Amino acid sequence: MLVRRLLIGSAVLAGTVTLAACGSGGGGTKPTSPASAPATTSASAPAPVPATGGAPWPAPTDASARAKVAGLPMLGAEGQVLHIHSHVDVLVNGRSLVVPADIGIDLEQQKISPLHTHDTTGIVHIESPVQADFTLGQFMTEWNVQLTKDRLGPLKTGGGKELHVYVNGKEQSGDPAAIKLTAHAEIAIVYGKPGTEVPSSYAFPAGV
């Protein structure tokens, strides 16, 4: 029941996208040559810690308004036609940022978006009443953190700072906002100087 799920909030785990950022700006991904690409690992994402450069960024106070901007409906209960999870890591200057709980959840109105978080694990729940594709850009819009090829929130590329986005350890080219959220994907958004170690997988809890 939605009301109960919202009240217990962080008790439920969700799929997460990994965002890794290693600089002070930028919001998209830039290709790197094989020689300069960071090494990947299958270990779980590091424990979130505060980061500099205007981060971390809290969950918006008006989840319903942000969902509308993202083109997403607010539902009375989680959908079950599509029920998958991704994991998001955000790395800024080599440090892991917290992905807040309750993104996409309007506690006051007892409404919930098909894309949401229940806790700070970085697991993104994709729970829709219809089959559809959902994107990283929609999730970041709900979070109110801009993501483009050269910007991550207030952080811009340039001056030695780069922005790269990886899915399961593989760097993605093109618009990072267009990346689809798929089952058990590890999405890492990395901002900063080149060389940050990028996670290639996430250890999802049993049953998630």
Side-chain angles (χ1 to χ4, degrees):
M1 184 174 184
L2 176 62
V3 173
R4 181 173 181 274
R5 287 290 297 276
L6 294 183
L7 291 177
I8 63 176
S10 63
V12 183
L13 295 179
T16 316
V17 176
T18 301
L19 303 181
C22 36
S24 69
T29 62
K30 295 183 179 179
T32 58
S33 65
S36 62
T40 60
T41 175
S42 60
S44 299
V49 294
T52 58
W57 305 294
T61 56
D62 192 340
S64 293
R66 294 311 306 169
K68 183 177 181 179
V69 174
L72 296 169
M74 291 300 281
L75 310 170
E78 290 118 322
Q80 295 300 319
V81 173
L82 177 65
H83 188 179
I84 58 176
H85 305 88
S86 296
H87 184 267
V88 174
D89 281 311
V90 180
L91 302 178
V92 173
N93 298 323
R95 307 184 73 183
S96 179
L97 270 62
V98 173
V99 177
D102 297 333
I103 294 173
I105 296 178
D106 191 323
L107 294 171
E108 181 176 349
Q109 297 188 30
Q110 290 291 284
K111 297 288 186 179
I112 191 166
S113 163
L115 300 184
H116 56 272
T117 63
H118 286 286
D119 51 35
T120 59
T121 60
I123 294 176
V124 178
H125 296 253
I126 302 101
E127 300 176 24
S128 170
V130 297
Q131 288 289 341
D133 290 331
F134 296 94
T135 67
L136 178 59
Q138 288 176 307
F139 176 72
M140 298 301 288
T141 297
E142 284 192 310
W143 188 4
N144 201 23
V145 176
Q146 185 180 10
L147 177 63
T148 68
K149 296 179 70 173
D150 59 5
R151 178 186 288 272
L152 173 64
L155 308 177
K156 299 180 180 179
T157 57
K161 303 294 187 179
E162 299 180 359
L163 179 63
H164 303 278
V165 180
Y166 302 82
V167 176
N168 299 330
K170 182 177 181 180
E171 185 172 3
Q172 306 297 297
S173 60
D175 181 6
I179 293 174
K180 294 180 181 179
L181 302 180
T182 57
H184 287 186
E186 161 63 17
I187 301 174
I189 299 175
V190 181
Y191 172 85
K193 294 182 179 179
T196 298
E197 187 174 7
V198 177
S200 60
S201 64
Y202 178 77
F204 288 88
V208 171

